[in-house]
């Protein structure tokens, strides 16, 4: 349309010049082109800010790597590192490629890629991710994935694909922009004809109005309305470790009203943890725990490891166990500082002839809440109970609260028994519990929720979650989960942090809100500007627009759309210092 307007003005002026003179539009065409270029420069400056996330990700990769050749470190460009190379990673250096630690121990800061805030301990056999920072020790790492195959490169690719994909709202805007071109051309022709046939104005004045109509109706703002918002939204997500696979996922996240979460590994840590230590009246809890931990240190059972971790966390003094005996399926016994200590289940107590006495009722209470109860007897007398359960993640409660603040129902879907599931649900404030569900039935449960007319997101991390992820309107995979779950999902959370679920929904809602604002501005701008440009108000008020002003207005509209999209970066997300603006987000809910 700009080419039509500039070309028409210049050709008309050329004809007037060659045929004897008159009013010409050379200066109008020149200024028009200058303003359009200036507007595009401002627009591209603004849009460039939306690509900050991609640039920041690319800058994470170190330019050089130390490769061990014949036992000597040789510095080479990172691009020249090959699979199988042995990398020397010194303290404070970035790891150049994905690989496996072959020698050395250290703490590695993975926050740049995974978002995990705490350093992760690495020892021989542990995997490492390229672009992460080695903190204190020296590591020798065998490269397993380089170049475009690294985790960082895959993240960049995913973000780029999402930014370049089109949401349903953008397709509608593109169609509107396509038809707006015809509106502009037909409107320009009609404007020229009306001014020539219905008034006594000269052809030059009519041409000026027609050129202004064509220029001011350029659909630049309409074409920018959604892609700029999508670029900013996906970039914000990438910074937080929330990877939208495409723009459809971003738009779907805005309409989610129910979030279904798998329990084990998603809401919980997926490993046993001591929740209660109960002793008989008069017994010293610390001493009882010291004797129990002495026996459990000799065992390889996961529950035993949980007891030992708990004792060490409470800084209970160590004791040595002798004559250790493992009783498969029951527990273990040993002699600790002259005391015979038995640690295990009720059947072990029956074998040892131990009467639970006052602890029997307490044991039933703990078991009813879904805990596994370990009984400890010292010298033939029941002394303590240790309640063990899969503990909730530190951020799970906050994640549920954030989802409730968004007006989203939270459903726990698990194969565990009702008591265990209910305990976690009550602890976290979850609305609905669907327990004892077979892996193959999870997708059917999601479909049942969808039949209620609500948009459903499913969060999971395992192979058995893949069908449910595919069934849901929005499948969300925990990044630490299986490849099958990640491939099936529409959205990947790089950290195993449930708080990233409300983060994703807030980004989706914020992005869609900006898209609607931009579309409203672009459509409203054209609806108001078109009659002014055509000179409809000129006879009554003298209000007219020259082509140069129309060009400036058109470019300014595009810049406003781009800047409004960039304002999305100010969206406050869960876990941010300022907290989340919950009232604004709740008001953006569909139907509110």
């Amino acid at each position: 349309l700009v080419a039509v307007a500039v070309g028409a003005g210049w050709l008309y002026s050329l004809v007037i010049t060659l045929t004897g003179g008159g009013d010409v539009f050379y200066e109008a065409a020149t200024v028009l082109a200058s303003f359009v270029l200036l507007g595009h420069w401002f627009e591209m400056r603004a849009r460039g800010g939306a690509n900050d996330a991609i640039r920041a990700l690319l800058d994470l990769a170190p330019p050089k790597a130390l490769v061990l050749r014949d036992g000597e470190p040789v510095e080479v460009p990172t691009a020249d590192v090959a699979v199988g190379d042995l990398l020397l990673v010194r303290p404070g250096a970035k790891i150049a490629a994905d690989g496996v630690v072959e020698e050395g121990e250290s703490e590695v800061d993975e926050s740049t890629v995974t978002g995990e805030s705490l350093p992760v301990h690495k020892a021989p056999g542990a995997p490492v991710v390229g672009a992460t920072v080695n903190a204190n020790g020296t590591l020798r790492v065998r490269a397993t994935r380089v170049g475009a195959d690294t985790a960082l490169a895959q993240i960049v690719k995913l973000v780029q694909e999402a930014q370049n994909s089109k949401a349903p709202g953008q397709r509608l805007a593109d169609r509107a922009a396509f038809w707006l071109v015809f509106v502009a051309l037909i409107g320009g022709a009609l404007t020229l004809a009306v001014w020539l046939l219905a008034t006594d104005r000269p052809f030059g004045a009519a041409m000026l109005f027609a050129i202004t109509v064509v220029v001011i109706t350029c659909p630049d703002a309409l074409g920018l309305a959604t892609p700029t918002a999508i670029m900013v939204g996906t970039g914000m997500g990438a910074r937080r470790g929330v990877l939208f696979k495409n723009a459809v996922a971003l738009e779907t996240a805005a309409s989610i009203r129910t979030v279904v979460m798998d329990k084990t590994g998603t809401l919980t840590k997926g490993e046993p943890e001591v929740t209660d230590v109960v002793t008989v009246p008069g017994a010293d809890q610390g001493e009882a725990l010291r004797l129990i931990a002495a026996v459990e240190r000799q065992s390889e059972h996961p529950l035993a490891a949980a007891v030992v971790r708990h004792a060490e966390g409470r800084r209970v003094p160590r004791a040595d166990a002798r004559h250790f005996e493992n009783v498969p399926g029951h527990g273990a016994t040993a002699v600790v500082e002259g005391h015979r200590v038995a640690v295990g289940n009720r059947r072990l107590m029956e074998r040892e002839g131990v009467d639970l006495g006052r602890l029997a009722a307490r044991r039933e209470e703990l078991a009813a809440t879904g805990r596994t109860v370990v009984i400890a007897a010292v010298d033939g007398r029941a002394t303590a109970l240790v309640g063990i359960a899969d503990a909730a993640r530190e951020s799970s409660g906050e994640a549920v609260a954030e989802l409730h603040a968004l007006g989203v129902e939270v459903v726990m879907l698990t194969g565990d028994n009702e008591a265990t599931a209910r305990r976690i649900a009550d602890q976290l404030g979850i609305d609905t519990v669907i327990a004892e569900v077979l892996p193959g039935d999870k997708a059917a449960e999601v479909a049942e929720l969808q039949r209620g007319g609500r948009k459903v997101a499913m969060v999971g991390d395992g192979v058995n979650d893949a069908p449910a992820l595919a069934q849901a309107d929005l499948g969300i995979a925990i990044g630490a989960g299986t490849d099958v779950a990640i491939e099936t999902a529409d959205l990947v959370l790089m950290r195993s942090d449930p708080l990233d679920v409300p983060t994703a929904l807030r980004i989706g809602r914020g992005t869609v809100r900006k898209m609607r604002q931009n579309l409203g501005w672009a459509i409203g701008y054209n609806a108001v500007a078109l009659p002014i440009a055509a000179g409809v108000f000129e006879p009554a008020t003298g209000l007219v627009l020259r082509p140069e002003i129309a060009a400036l207005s058109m470019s300014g509209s595009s810049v406003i759309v781009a800047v409004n999209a960039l304002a999305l970066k100010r969206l406050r997300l869960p876990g941010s210092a300022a907290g989340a603006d919950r009232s604004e987000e709740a008001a953006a809910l569909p139907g509110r």
Side-chain angles (χ1 to χ4, degrees):
L1 294 180
V2 172
V4 168
V6 173
W10 186 81
L11 286 173
Y12 171 77
S13 301
L14 181 63
V15 170
I16 293 298
T17 300
L18 296 177
T19 56
D23 290 334
V24 292
F25 303 131
Y26 290 124
E27 78 291 344
T30 303
V31 175
L32 173 59
S34 300
F35 277 161
V36 168
L37 290 173
L38 180 64
H40 274 293
W41 183 78
F42 280 122
E43 171 198 315
M44 296 311 295
R45 286 263 303 185
R47 290 182 67 187
N51 267 322
D52 288 346
I54 292 289
R55 283 194 291 271
L57 286 170
L58 291 172
D59 288 343
L60 292 177
K64 299 284 187 179
L66 285 177
V67 179
L68 290 171
R69 302 271 168 82
D70 298 325
E72 294 296 323
V74 178
E75 189 175 67
V76 300
T78 298
D80 293 343
V81 175
V83 173
D85 280 348
L86 187 61
L87 307 177
L88 177 65
V89 187
R90 291 171 174 155
K94 284 186 176 181
I95 300 171
D98 295 0
V100 176
V101 176
E102 288 206 349
E103 186 180 330
E105 291 192 24
S106 182
E107 304 296 319
V108 174
D109 179 3
E110 297 184 342
S111 59
T112 52
V113 175
T114 67
E116 177 60 55
S117 57
L118 297 176
V120 180
H121 182 72
K122 300 295 182 181
V128 292
V129 181
T132 55
V133 181
N134 181 29
N136 42 28
T138 299
L139 298 176
R140 283 174 169 77
V141 175
R142 184 72 64 182
T144 56
R145 291 189 297 182
V146 300
D149 296 326
T150 61
L152 177 64
Q154 293 301 311
I155 292 170
V156 171
K157 180 182 177 184
L158 202 59
V159 175
Q160 285 178 326
E161 287 176 350
Q163 291 188 341
N164 292 329
S165 63
K166 291 189 177 183
Q170 185 178 341
R171 296 188 185 99
L172 180 63
D174 287 348
R175 284 198 296 272
F178 173 79
W179 288 107
L180 196 58
V181 172
F182 290 100
V183 169
L185 294 174
I186 294 169
L190 286 175
T191 300
L192 180 65
V194 169
W195 278 104
L196 286 177
L197 300 176
T199 70
D200 57 357
R201 293 295 183 88
F203 183 80
M207 176 64 79
L208 202 63
F209 281 120
I211 290 174
T212 306
V213 167
V214 172
V215 171
I216 209 164
T217 321
C218 271
D220 278 23
L222 193 59
L224 284 172
T226 57
T228 313
I230 287 168
M231 290 173 72
V232 176
T234 52
M236 285 180 65
R239 284 194 186 90
R240 289 290 296 259
V242 177
L243 302 182
F244 295 90
K245 286 191 175 180
N246 48 56
V248 176
L250 191 65
E251 197 165 323
T252 303
S255 60
I256 293 300
R257 302 299 301 277
T258 300
V259 170
V260 180
M261 289 188 167
D262 180 48
K263 181 181 77 68
T264 307
T266 301
L267 289 169
T268 65
K269 297 176 182 177
E271 62 182 31
E273 188 172 275
V274 173
T275 57
D276 304 87
V277 178
V278 180
T279 58
V280 294
D284 180 78
Q285 190 180 98
E287 177 63 16
L289 191 56
R290 188 173 77 92
L291 297 176
I292 296 168
V295 177
E296 297 289 50
R297 280 192 183 90
Q298 308 298 315
S299 173
E300 296 181 355
H301 197 282
L303 297 183
V307 173
V308 173
R309 282 197 303 272
H310 181 72
E312 291 175 346
R314 290 183 52 176
R315 290 184 166 80
V316 173
R318 294 175 68 101
D320 293 327
R322 301 188 179 192
H323 308 297
F324 175 82
E325 179 190 358
N326 182 47
V327 184
H330 293 69
T333 63
V335 176
V336 183
E337 297 179 349
H339 299 285
R340 179 172 173 79
V341 182
V343 181
N345 56 25
R346 187 152 46 180
R347 278 178 285 183
L348 179 66
M349 297 302 112
E350 291 171 355
R351 184 190 116 156
E352 294 288 314
V354 174
D355 179 17
L356 295 186
R358 297 181 184 181
L359 293 178
R362 189 74 177 102
R363 181 200 170 279
E364 295 302 323
E365 290 175 12
L366 290 173
T369 58
R371 291 167 171 82
T372 299
V373 183
V374 174
I375 308 166
V378 179
D379 296 329
R381 289 188 299 177
T383 303
L385 302 175
V386 180
I388 300 175
D390 185 7
R393 293 183 183 276
E394 289 79 1
S395 60
S396 292
E398 186 181 354
V400 173
E402 288 286 349
L403 288 169
H404 284 159
L406 289 171
V408 174
E409 177 191 11
V410 183
V411 178
M412 179 196 288
L413 185 63
T414 179
D416 274 358
N417 62 71
E418 182 78 27
T420 301
R422 181 59 61 185
R423 177 183 64 82
I424 294 291
D426 290 344
Q427 180 183 340
L428 301 179
I430 290 173
D431 307 297
T432 308
V433 175
I434 305 174
E436 300 178 21
V437 179
L438 295 174
D441 295 337
K442 287 187 176 182
E445 293 290 347
V446 171
E448 183 64 30
L449 291 169
Q450 288 172 317
R451 278 192 281 275
R454 296 169 74 88
K455 290 281 189 179
V456 178
M458 170 70 192
V459 187
D461 69 335
V463 173
N464 59 359
D465 297 323
L469 292 173
Q471 173 65 42
D473 297 287
L474 182 70
I476 303 176
I478 294 289
T482 64
D483 290 341
V484 175
I486 292 172
E487 284 297 321
T488 310
D490 308 297
L491 172 59
V492 178
L493 308 180
M494 293 299 293
R495 305 183 296 177
S496 295
D497 187 351
L499 192 58
D500 286 340
V501 176
T503 296
L505 300 194
R506 284 186 184 275
I507 290 173
R509 290 184 183 182
T511 302
V512 169
R513 188 167 58 249
K514 287 300 179 187
M515 287 165 56
R516 289 171 179 166
Q517 289 173 358
N518 285 349
L519 285 170
W521 166 261
I523 293 169
Y525 159 79
N526 279 295
V528 172
L530 189 58
I532 296 175
V536 171
F537 304 108
E538 194 269 348
T541 65
L543 179 61
V544 294
L545 288 177
R546 285 191 59 80
E548 310 95 289
I549 304 303
L552 193 60
S553 173
M554 181 268 292
S555 299
S557 177
S558 299
V559 173
I560 288 172
V561 164
V563 170
N564 185 50
L566 288 176
L568 180 62
K569 291 182 177 182
R570 297 202 302 267
L571 182 70
R572 287 178 286 179
L573 301 173
S576 63
D581 187 357
R582 297 176 180 175
S583 59
E584 181 185 1
E585 293 297 337
L589 281 168
R592 287 278 178 101

